[in-house]
Amino acid sequence: MNLSNLVEDYCTQLRRRQIHGSFACAKKTAEVMRLLITTQRHTDAASLIEDVRTVGTKLQAAKPVELAIGNIVRRVLHMIREEQQQEQLEQSEAHSTPDAKKEQKGPGLLSQAFRGGPAARALAMGRAVSLSNLLDAPALPEVSDLGFSGSRLQPTTSEAASLSAGEDADSKRSGWRKGKAPPQWSSKNNVIEMLNELIDELDGIEQQIAQQAVEHIHANEVILTYGMSDTTYDFLKEASRKREFQVKLHRFRRV
């Protein structure tokens, strides 16, 4: 199954409520993002960000009330931008002279994000800085279908700018038209590695939460819970091994 069909099937499952819970949605979204990054060709970080935002917007629109989908997409975008900033920092250090390195030290990645990124614009507009407006980028034009910029043979705007900075753009464009695939973004493997770690972290998240139960529940306490979930059950079950307490479960009726 190719990426477009997988995304459509996932959106259909979300609309039909065949996938329940934040954990299932978060893991499935991360797997879709991993498939997007590994199967599509991207020559730079900008084209990869564009594709991730396009697919992420489509997934979030399928189930707007499930916040875990948007959180995973923002997490992936943060990974890509971190690698992009690190790559730009290394390139600037490589092209600068030793004297210039001593006189001027570039600000850290977090400082760069707050000084010139969306967070700075959020502060200027009087909005509080949060994870959401720190990672958000300018909105893309509305996309009617899944058009992946990384798989196009024609170079994007950012690619054309980089080619004009020291390479023969005409020869590369002619090579792309002849069927030669554009080069992959060099830091793409690092993003895939971080995304694999995120998926592994999601697999063990319930056990990690349950292990902290004895730190939050004390003996002879009365625990009031609203509704029930597997995470809550594992949390209380782990605490019951070393603590004696009572649990009152509040049921609610679906309307």
Side-chain angles (χ1 to χ4, degrees):
M1 182 182 294
N2 58 25
L3 180 62
S4 299
N5 293 337
L6 180 63
V7 172
E8 289 296 337
D9 290 344
Y10 181 32
C11 290
T12 301
Q13 292 175 350
L14 291 174
R15 295 189 190 99
R16 295 177 179 176
R17 299 181 180 179
Q18 295 176 347
I19 299 180
H20 301 283
S22 299
F23 172 76
C25 292
K27 186 175 181 181
K28 184 67 175 179
T29 303
E31 291 174 348
V32 171
M33 293 292 106
R34 180 172 62 180
L35 184 63
L36 165 64
I37 297 173
T38 54
T39 58
Q40 303 297 316
R41 298 192 66 88
H42 301 93
T43 58
D44 54 13
S47 61
L48 180 56
I49 290 174
E50 181 181 349
D51 283 354
V52 170
R53 295 190 67 224
T54 300
V55 176
T57 302
K58 189 177 184 68
L59 297 179
Q60 187 67 80
K63 195 173 183 180
V65 297
E66 186 53 70
L67 303 179
I69 297 175
N71 290 339
I72 292 297
V73 174
R74 290 188 183 96
R75 183 80 174 266
V76 175
L77 289 173
H78 180 55
M79 296 175 185
I80 299 172
R81 288 172 180 141
E82 268 192 334
E83 289 299 321
Q84 182 186 30
Q85 291 174 350
Q86 183 65 28
E87 186 179 57
Q88 293 174 351
L89 185 61
E90 292 175 356
Q91 290 178 355
S92 62
E93 290 179 352
H95 289 83
S96 61
T97 61
D99 295 337
K101 290 181 181 179
K102 294 180 180 179
E103 293 177 359
Q104 296 181 349
K105 291 186 178 180
L109 298 180
L110 186 60
S111 300
Q112 293 178 8
F114 274 98
R115 290 180 183 178
R121 294 193 294 271
L123 288 174
M125 297 173 62
R127 295 165 49 196
V129 178
S130 64
L131 181 60
S132 176
N133 55 37
L134 176 63
L135 301 181
D136 285 344
L140 291 173
E142 188 172 337
V143 181
S144 58
D145 57 353
L146 287 177
F148 300 110
S149 62
S151 59
R152 294 195 300 261
L153 294 180
Q154 295 294 335
T156 61
T157 306
S158 59
E159 293 166 4
S162 62
L163 291 175
S164 62
E167 297 179 349
D168 190 0
D170 294 335
S171 62
K172 283 204 169 184
R173 291 195 188 98
S174 62
W176 291 5
R177 295 191 188 101
K178 291 178 182 178
K180 295 181 180 179
Q184 286 274 29
W185 181 39
S186 58
S187 300
K188 197 173 183 180
N189 291 333
N190 297 336
V191 177
I192 296 174
E193 183 178 351
M194 289 190 291
L195 189 50
N196 289 333
E197 293 177 357
L198 174 60
I199 295 176
D200 293 339
E201 180 183 342
L202 290 174
D203 289 332
I205 193 66
E206 292 184 356
Q207 292 77 10
Q208 294 176 11
I209 294 175
Q211 290 173 0
Q212 303 178 20
V214 293
E215 301 178 5
H216 299 277
I217 297 179
H218 303 87
N220 302 323
E221 286 187 338
V222 179
I223 309 300
L224 176 64
T225 64
Y226 183 76
M228 193 63 177
S229 66
D230 294 336
T231 304
T232 305
Y233 177 76
D234 294 337
F235 186 84
L236 297 175
K237 184 178 179 180
E238 182 67 24
S240 65
R241 296 179 179 179
K242 298 182 179 181
R243 302 281 192 271
E244 291 185 2
F245 55 92
Q246 296 180 359
V247 177
K248 291 188 177 181
L249 177 61
H250 241 309
R251 294 288 185 179
F252 60 93
R253 185 170 55 126
R254 296 184 180 274
V255 180

